[in-house]
Amino acid sequence: MTARPVLAEPIRTARLRLVPLAVGHAEEMARVLGDPRLHTFTGGVPDTVDELRARYRRMLAGAPDPGVSWCNWVVRLGADGQADEGTGGRTGGPLTGTVQATVTDGGSPGGRTAEVAWVIGTPWQGHGIAGEAARALVAWLWSRPVDRVVAHIHPDHHRSAAVAASAGLSPTTVRQGGEVRWQALPDPSNSRPTYGS
């Protein structure tokens, strides 16, 4: 039996709003993600506004597999304001990046896995935004609930590794596509996460 899908909901931190992705975010996000240096470890080139709109439409249509939920947020600086939720309307500060979680229903012990990722635009890097957003995302995922949170990070991407560590993930010996798997598991004795493996 497939578990109910996980749907992105607004998440707030002291400085940030994680707003569920909308097609209307594409124009601002094309500027945020337009620096080719953001692709140093992942490859590719920045998407145009039209390419982002098409990508966001596909993402919002949902995964074709009913056991997979695609949850995507834009990261807005400034925790106040309401108009942005799902509409693309700008309230508060600028968009600074994205966070995402692909939640897969394993249908067995070890159940739901959430694979997380984050990208923060170059002008906003070095201000703790990625760590704050990732910590909020992981805390939100534990409440869904999920049974494991993982991220795959290039071994030379030290800033992203620091973000993963700040969100409670630890590196493992598992490699996938040249990247290191980081993960956190809940501790069954107290329902708090444990790290690594």
Side-chain angles (χ1 to χ4, degrees), residues 1 11 21 33 41 44-45 49 60-61 109 137 139 143-144 149-152 155 160 162 169 171 179 188-190 193:
M1 175 181 216
I11 302 170
L21 181 70
L33 302 175
F41 295 105
V45 296
V49 172
L60 292 167
L137 173 60
S143 72
R144 291 309 95 189
V149 176
V150 301
H152 290 90
S160 198
L169 283 74
E179 295 182 319
S189 66
N190 65 10

Side-chain angles (χ1 to χ4, degrees), residues 18 32 38 41 49 54-55 57-58 104 111-112 120 122 133 138 151 172 181 186 197:
L18 280 57
V32 172
L38 293 175
F41 295 105
V49 172
R55 176 181 292 193
R57 282 186 192 97
R58 287 190 304 273
T104 305
R112 277 188 166 172
I120 299 299
T122 306
V138 170
T172 70
R181 174 180 282 182
S197 77

Side-chain angles (χ1 to χ4, degrees), residues 68-85:
V68 176
S69 297
W70 291 341
C71 301
N72 297 278
W73 294 262
V74 291
V75 179
R76 185 170 297 287
L77 191 59
D80 54 351
Q82 294 293 327
D84 195 45
E85 272 48 311

Side-chain angles (χ1 to χ4, degrees), residues 2-155:
T2 302
R4 290 179 25 207
V6 178
L7 302 174
E9 300 171 345
I11 302 170
R12 293 177 183 269
T13 72
R15 296 186 301 159
L16 307 173
R17 282 191 305 134
L18 280 57
V19 179
L21 181 70
V23 174
H25 292 122
E27 189 169 340
E28 188 174 356
M29 287 307 301
R31 290 188 300 273
V32 172
L33 302 175
D35 186 341
R37 293 176 291 178
L38 293 175
H39 297 270
T40 300
F41 295 105
T42 59
V45 296
D47 286 333
T48 66
V49 172
D50 288 338
E51 289 168 336
L52 270 185
R53 282 187 187 116
R55 176 181 292 193
Y56 290 176
R57 282 186 192 97
R58 287 190 304 273
M59 293 163 71
L60 292 167
D65 181 339
V68 176
S69 297
W70 291 341
C71 301
N72 297 278
W73 294 262
V74 291
V75 179
R76 185 170 297 287
L77 191 59
D80 54 351
Q82 294 293 327
D84 195 45
E85 272 48 311
T87 67
R90 183 173 179 150
T91 297
L95 295 179
T96 62
T98 64
V99 294
Q100 64 186 46
T102 299
V103 182
T104 305
D105 179 19
S108 64
R112 277 188 166 172
T113 297
E115 182 160 355
V116 297
W118 46 84
V119 179
I120 299 299
T122 306
W124 297 279
Q125 292 180 5
H127 300 284
I129 293 171
E132 187 173 335
R135 286 188 300 274
L137 173 60
V138 170
W140 182 86
L141 286 163
W142 288 128
S143 72
R144 291 309 95 189
V146 298
D147 302 294
R148 173 189 324 259
V149 176
V150 301
H152 290 90
I153 300 172
H154 190 283

